[in-house]
């Protein structure tokens, strides 16, 4: 077990998939348990049930995925991110995965170049390839059965990565000092001659050669005129051509429209309203009122105003 780098007392997770031979899985678990101890230090997880296992972050010192002899497990970006989450800071992950060469690129199976990149993007560091070899006949058959790939450009790669020595989202205070450090040469930070050049003293103000401008002379007669109050007023909604009042209208258009609504006559849908109730619709606002002449102005109560 030296190639796995597992030492006594470590917590180890073994991840398997449906392509892993059962007897080979049991043999690997027994060997790891004998090395680290039997007090629940080895966890065996199916790769498709890894998210349901609900392990806490930073739970394992070592994670072995796809390391069961004969396994052809594929590690998605989500699986690699979950592996990085449950791995302790400084912990190691060791995995095996079948890959294809660049010339025989397959959408479902990664290339040999993309597998290390996938581990790096999941948050692992010091990613390195440990071994690359051709598949055995049993592994090739497993790839064909579980992944549906029949190409002859398959390799199986063993790769290692580590989690950084800090947890994702951890905080660390930076020691920053904004105090000015003295110049080792002993020279002042600002050249006195430069400082004097940009300094205006009271003596300079009395200097006859100093030409100062009077700020009042910068204003002409137009600037001193009081503006017409009407020119400062914002245009009303009506002046801007609006037919509807703005929300929280302050120019008076809302009140004007409301007044027009109250004083307007309701439109007749049938044209017989003036003849009396016998000729009026069931929803006529003039129901119950005497007949009137066409065009005669009739005042209705507000609760009677609705479209006929």
């Amino acid at each position: 077990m030296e190639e796995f780098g597992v030492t006594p007392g470590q917590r180890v997770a073994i991840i398997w998939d449906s392509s892993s031979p059962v007897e080979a899985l049991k043999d690997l678990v027994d060997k790891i348990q004998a090395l680290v101890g039997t007090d629940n230090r080895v966890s065996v997880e199916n790769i498709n049930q890894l998210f349901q296992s609900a392990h806490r972050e930073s739970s394992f010192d070592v994670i072995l995925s796809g390391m069961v002899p004969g396994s052809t497990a594929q590690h998605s970006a989500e699986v690699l991110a979950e592996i990085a989450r449950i791995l302790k800071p400084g912990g190691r992950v060791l995995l095996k995965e079948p890959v294809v060469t660049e010339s025989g690129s397959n959408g479902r199976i990664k290339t040999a170049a993309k597998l290390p990149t996938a581990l790096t993007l999941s948050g692992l560091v010091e990613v390195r390839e440990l071994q690359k070899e051709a598949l055995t006949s049993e592994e090739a058959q497993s790839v064909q059965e579980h992944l549906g790939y029949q190409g002859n450009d398959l390799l199986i790669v063993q790769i290692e990565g580590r989690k950084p020595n800090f947890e994702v989202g951890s905080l660390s205070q930076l020691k920053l000092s904004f105090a000015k450090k003295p110049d080792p040469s002993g020279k002042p930070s600002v050249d006195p001659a430069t400082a004097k050049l940009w300094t205006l003293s009271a003596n300079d103000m009395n200097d006859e050669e100093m030409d100062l401008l009077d700020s009042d002379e910068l204003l002409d007669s137009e600037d001193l005129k009081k503006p017409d109050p009407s020119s400062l007023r914002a245009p009303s909604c009506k002046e801007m051509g609006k037919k509807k009042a703005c929300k929280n209208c302050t120019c008076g258009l809302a009140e004007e429209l409301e007044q027009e609504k109250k004083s307007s006559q309701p439109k007749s849908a049938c044209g017989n309203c003036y003849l009396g109730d016998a000729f009026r619709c069931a929803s006529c606002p003039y129901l119950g009122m005497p007949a009137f002449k066409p065009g005669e102005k009739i005042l209705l109560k507000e609760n009677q105003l609705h479209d006929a």
Side-chain angles (χ1 to χ4, degrees):
M1 305 304 293
E2 293 181 359
E3 68 272 19
F4 294 152
V6 178
T7 58
Q10 288 184 321
R11 289 206 65 197
V12 180
I14 299 175
I15 300 175
W16 60 282
D17 75 327
S18 57
S19 67
S20 305
V22 177
E23 292 301 323
L25 174 61
K26 289 181 179 179
D27 183 57
L28 178 61
V29 172
D30 291 342
K31 290 178 179 179
I32 296 293
Q33 283 182 336
L35 185 60
V36 301
T38 57
D39 51 343
N40 297 324
R41 292 194 170 274
V42 178
S43 178
V44 182
E45 300 290 348
N46 183 285
I47 195 168
N48 297 318
Q49 302 296 323
L50 185 60
F51 297 98
Q52 284 72 34
S53 60
H55 288 296
R56 293 183 178 180
E57 60 183 26
S58 304
S59 297
F60 299 100
D61 298 287
V62 179
I63 295 179
L64 307 176
S65 184
M67 297 302 297
V68 179
S71 173
T72 56
Q74 289 286 302
H75 301 83
S76 66
E78 292 77 15
V79 168
L80 291 175
E82 180 65 10
I83 288 175
R85 187 187 71 84
I86 63 177
L87 195 62
K88 291 182 179 180
R92 295 171 57 251
V93 57
L94 196 66
L95 62 83
K96 267 187 177 182
E97 182 172 327
V99 298
V100 294
T101 62
E102 291 290 345
S103 58
S105 181
N106 176 275
R108 187 173 179 184
I109 304 176
K110 302 181 189 70
T111 63
K114 288 185 178 180
L115 182 57
T117 303
L119 268 71
T120 302
L121 291 176
S122 69
L124 300 175
V125 297
E126 299 180 25
V127 177
R128 61 192 182 101
E129 185 181 292
L130 301 179
Q131 189 176 0
K132 183 191 296 183
E133 58 187 7
L135 273 69
T136 63
S137 58
E138 292 80 5
E139 290 171 336
Q141 184 178 355
S142 178
V143 169
Q144 181 178 349
E145 179 181 346
H146 295 91
L147 303 178
Y149 187 71
Q150 302 180 9
N152 297 321
D153 55 349
L154 285 168
L155 297 171
I156 192 151
V157 174
Q158 182 174 323
I159 197 167
E160 178 189 45
R162 291 182 180 273
K163 186 172 182 176
N165 290 321
F166 55 84
E167 191 55 76
V168 175
S170 58
L171 302 177
S172 178
Q173 185 175 3
L174 299 177
K175 296 181 180 180
L176 301 176
S177 176
F178 296 97
K180 293 184 178 179
K181 297 181 179 180
D183 192 332
S185 64
K187 293 181 179 180
S189 57
V190 179
D191 185 4
T194 304
K196 184 178 180 181
L197 185 64
W198 291 98
T199 303
L200 188 64
S201 68
N203 294 331
D204 294 326
M205 297 294 290
N206 296 326
D207 192 344
E208 294 180 357
E209 297 181 359
M210 180 67 66
D211 187 15
L212 297 178
L213 291 177
D214 185 356
S215 58
D216 292 336
E217 294 179 358
L218 300 176
L219 301 174
D220 57 25
S221 57
E222 291 295 326
D223 295 325
L224 298 175
K225 287 183 179 180
K226 186 177 181 180
D228 184 3
S230 62
S231 66
L232 302 178
R233 183 178 62 83
S236 65
C237 298
K238 198 168 185 179
E239 291 172 342
M240 296 177 64
K242 293 185 177 180
K243 296 183 179 180
K244 294 181 65 178
C246 302
K247 187 178 181 181
N248 301 324
C249 177
T250 58
C251 70
L253 181 60
E255 291 82 355
E256 184 179 342
L257 294 176
E258 184 65 25
Q259 187 64 30
E260 289 179 0
K261 182 179 178 182
K262 290 182 179 179
S263 61
S264 63
Q265 290 274 35
K267 294 182 179 179
S268 174
C270 61
N272 298 325
C273 300
Y274 69 95
L275 295 175
D277 284 352
F279 300 90
R280 292 170 181 163
C281 305
S283 60
C284 182
Y286 298 102
L287 279 176
M289 298 184 66
F292 54 88
K293 296 179 180 180
E296 182 181 354
K297 187 175 182 180
I298 305 297
L299 296 180
L300 299 176
K301 295 182 181 180
E302 188 173 349
N303 58 3
Q304 288 183 288
L305 292 176
H306 55 79
D307 294 336

